[in-house]
Amino acid sequence: MSMIERVYEKAKRDPKRVVFPEGDEGRTLLAAEKLYKAGICVPILLGNVERIRAAAAEAGADIAGIETIDPEKSDKRPFYIQSLYELRKAKGLTLEQADRLVSDPMYYGILMVKLGDADGLVSGAVHTTGDMLRPALQIIKTKPGIRIVSSSFLMNCPNPELGDEGLLVYADCIVNPCPTAEELAQIAVTTAATAHDLCGVETPRVALLSFSTKGSTEHELVTKVREAVRIAHELAPDVLLDGELQPDAALVPEVGASKAPGSPVAGRANVLIFPDLQAGNIAYKLTQRIGGAEAYAVLQGLAKPCNDLSRGCSVQDIVNTAALTAVQAR
Ligand code: ACO
């Protein structure tokens, strides 16, 4: 069974409520139908109900039985406005601004998750990453004990000798443009947990990547990665974690043995931590496009799960992301 099939099975055991702020978007509606009929989650569609119905008819989606909510007309609207105001008044948000924001299905959906009326959220078929991420960071905030939200890309590679039977978990490829050493350490530890809890990797082996392996080069960028390794060991002494490592030393047993002898990670890494967002984002796209890997993205470190799609996503991508969101919500 592939990693994503295992995720479907887990999600079906305890279907969670996943809200879609882009409720009048054709691919989202087709995905909602599949998710509902397969029992992977309980989808909730946000938007003007007439527009949702018209979009469903145009897309050929059967949404009978799926809950739809219009943020403009919902009974919960006054409660959501007051809640948003209370959450953000210290940051200068006024009641009038809160009233306007609650009309936006993105804010309404994020408030549903925050206030327990949904278990998770999926968007991004229309909106950009920042459109969802900013309100999620402002309203849902981080899990207790976690200071930074980041992302993992679950890369299902055709070569089963890589990582965990072909699965490699990459971070951070979406959120943090220039993480500090402390932030990189937190990303490494959080990603190990995602690999274990969400992907079923029994023993995450975390490599913090660089253009240097174990002191082969001296540069301030390398020093940052080395410092991140030191901090990550303090944060999570039980996690198998090493660096700085070049990707070949992290992944290829013979190279790892020669460049980093004695490392518990080198040559057998299944979690790869990139030093910044440029490296991470480029690496995942190259692995997908040149390496032929399937790529699934999740945000990690948020107190409740919200996940982003690419605007070029397929119906299947939305189904996969919703299934991952439902499992994160368990
Ligand atoms: N973790 C936790 N909280 C955060 C983080 C983080 N990583 N980043 C920002 N925040 C919080 C801030 O503390 C702030 O909270 P507050 O308002 O309560 O004080 C709030 O989020 C907003 O912070 P800003 O600094 O105003 O937000 P910013 O404008 O920096 O936007 C964002 C944050 C959206 C994550 C930004 O860093 C970003 O655009 N990142 C890159 C996204 C991107 O384009 N990714 C690549 C493409 S995606 C793809 O290829 C799949």
Side-chain angles (χ1 to χ4, degrees):
M1 202 186 274
S2 71
M3 184 274 300
I4 198 70
E5 285 165 344
R6 284 199 302 272
V7 166
Y8 288 155
E9 290 312 308
K10 267 195 210 168
K12 282 182 195 173
R13 266 180 248 143
D14 178 17
K16 296 290 181 191
R17 300 160 300 168
V18 176
V19 62
F20 294 87
E22 295 159 337
D24 57 6
E25 195 277 328
R27 289 162 298 172
T28 304
L29 288 159
L30 288 165
E33 175 188 349
K34 281 191 172 200
L35 289 159
Y36 180 71
K37 289 186 173 164
I40 294 169
C41 70
V42 180
I44 303 169
L45 300 167
L46 298 186
N48 174 284
V49 175
E50 302 309 314
R51 272 209 296 279
I52 293 175
R53 287 209 190 106
E58 193 179 329
D62 171 12
I63 56 164
I66 299 179
E67 186 180 3
T68 55
I69 298 175
D70 183 344
E72 295 279 12
K73 298 186 180 151
S74 154
D75 293 347
K76 294 240 164 140
R77 190 182 159 78
F79 171 57
Y80 281 19
I81 293 169
Q82 191 61 35
S83 302
L84 178 59
Y85 171 65
E86 295 298 336
L87 284 164
R88 298 295 296 173
K89 66 182 179 192
K91 294 279 173 180
L93 188 83
T94 63
L95 255 180
E96 292 70 30
Q97 287 167 329
D99 188 324
R100 261 201 313 281
L101 288 174
V102 168
S103 296
D104 178 344
M106 188 68 75
Y107 273 82
Y108 192 94
I110 285 169
L111 283 161
M112 282 182 76
V113 176
K114 173 75 179 179
L115 300 170
D117 291 328
D119 301 305
L121 174 144
V122 172
S123 90
V126 181
H127 292 81
T128 65
T129 303
D131 289 340
M132 186 274 272
L133 208 44
R134 208 167 281 109
L137 293 170
Q138 290 171 346
I139 294 167
I140 293 186
K141 302 273 180 193
T142 53
K143 274 185 190 160
I146 292 189
R147 286 184 24 228
I148 184 169
V149 170
S150 59
S151 67
S152 272
F153 261 92
L154 321 179
M155 306 300 299
N156 207 7
C157 304
N159 179 357
E161 288 176 13
L162 286 171
D164 195 61
E165 296 175 8
L167 179 71
L168 289 167
V169 183
Y170 286 13
D172 173 15
C173 309
I174 300 183
V175 185
N176 300 283
C178 296
T180 62
E182 289 76 14
E183 289 169 343
L184 208 49
Q186 174 84 78
I187 291 168
V189 173
T190 310
T191 309
T194 296
H196 182 270
D197 301 345
L198 185 62
C199 310
V201 175
E202 209 165 301
T203 310
R205 290 195 172 79
V206 185
L208 280 89
L209 298 182
S210 171
F211 54 82
S212 164
T213 296
K214 296 286 183 181
S216 63
T217 309
E218 288 303 328
H219 189 280
E220 62 190 281
L221 294 174
V222 179
T223 309
K224 180 180 94 168
V225 177
R226 225 174 273 153
E227 178 63 1
V229 173
R230 187 189 67 71
I231 300 166
H233 279 310
E234 280 178 12
L235 288 175
D238 297 337
V239 174
L240 294 181
L241 185 147
D242 204 4
E244 83 283 6
L245 294 169
Q246 287 159 289
D248 56 349
L251 294 172
V252 183
E254 308 81 71
V255 182
S258 105
K259 287 188 171 181
S263 165
V265 170
R268 292 184 294 163
N270 45 34
V271 175
L272 303 183
I273 305 301
F274 296 89
D276 65 26
L277 190 56
Q278 304 228 45
N281 194 272
I282 292 166
Y284 107 74
K285 285 184 191 283
L286 289 181
T287 309
Q288 186 181 30
R289 299 289 170 180
I290 300 179
E294 292 162 13
Y296 309 97
V298 289
L299 294 176
Q300 54 191 11
L302 276 172
K304 295 187 177 179
C306 294
N307 283 312
D308 182 43
L309 300 160
S310 150
R311 275 168 290 167
C313 64
S314 64
V315 172
Q316 195 56 44
D317 292 331
I318 303 176
V319 170
N320 294 338
T321 303
L324 287 160
T325 306
V327 172
Q328 283 182 306
R330 276 155 57 101

